Amino acid sequence: MAEPGVWVPSRRKIKMEGLPNDVASFSIKLKNTLIQYHNIEDDKWRVAKKTKDVTVWRKPSEEFNGYLYKVQGVIDDIVNSVIDHIRPGPWRLDWDRLMTSLDILEHFEEG
């Protein structure tokens, strides 16, 4: 079995260390983290980019060297096309200047 991995926005492969063997526990922790991010007060976010249809906010992360982002807006396109540009993958490289390349080391699947 391959070691657990993560989508990596760089040219080097990084192994995710310390991933628990208990996927259910990890899933609950991840869910709680996302809920915590969702509940961050509005005054903690700063506008990073604004167009007539979309606003992007960011705030420094307290957990890693980088930023958390949130986006709100209306995009007239097919949902899967929009998601393809957001999630790590070849289309993300077109607009995310911080992501110079991408290696998907492993996918996590439910169950």
Side-chain angles (χ1 to χ4, degrees):
M1 183 172 175
E3 290 188 40
V6 66
W7 288 326
V8 181
S10 70
R11 293 183 190 259
R12 60 190 172 102
K13 293 183 180 180
I14 299 173
K15 292 180 181 174
M16 181 184 266
E17 296 183 24
L19 186 65
N21 291 329
D22 181 3
V23 176
S25 171
F26 180 72
S27 174
I28 291 168
K29 183 177 178 182
L30 179 60
K31 176 183 173 186
N32 289 338
T33 299
L34 293 175
I35 290 169
Q36 177 186 355
Y37 289 167
H38 180 75
N39 290 323
I40 294 173
E41 297 174 20
D42 287 342
D43 64 347
K44 303 291 184 190
W45 297 95
R46 300 292 175 241
V47 173
K49 180 150 181 118
K50 186 170 187 162
T51 68
K52 68 177 186 143
D53 298 321
V54 178
T55 303
V56 179
W57 294 268
R58 74 178 190 174
K59 76 173 271 331
S61 173
E62 297 174 5
E63 299 172 19
F64 58 89
N65 187 19
Y67 292 92
L68 300 175
Y69 290 89
K70 72 175 183 174
V71 179
Q72 181 177 359
V74 177
I75 301 172
D76 186 20
D77 202 345
I78 299 168
V79 172
N80 287 342
S81 176
V82 173
I83 297 302
D84 285 341
H85 284 83
I86 295 171
R87 69 177 175 207
W91 292 282
R92 173 94 177 251
L93 297 172
D94 290 339
W95 65 269
D96 188 347
R97 70 178 191 263
L98 297 176
M99 184 179 283
T100 58
S101 68
L102 174 75
D103 294 313
I104 297 176
L105 305 178
E106 185 173 330
H107 290 276
F108 291 102
E109 295 181 16
E110 191 172 331

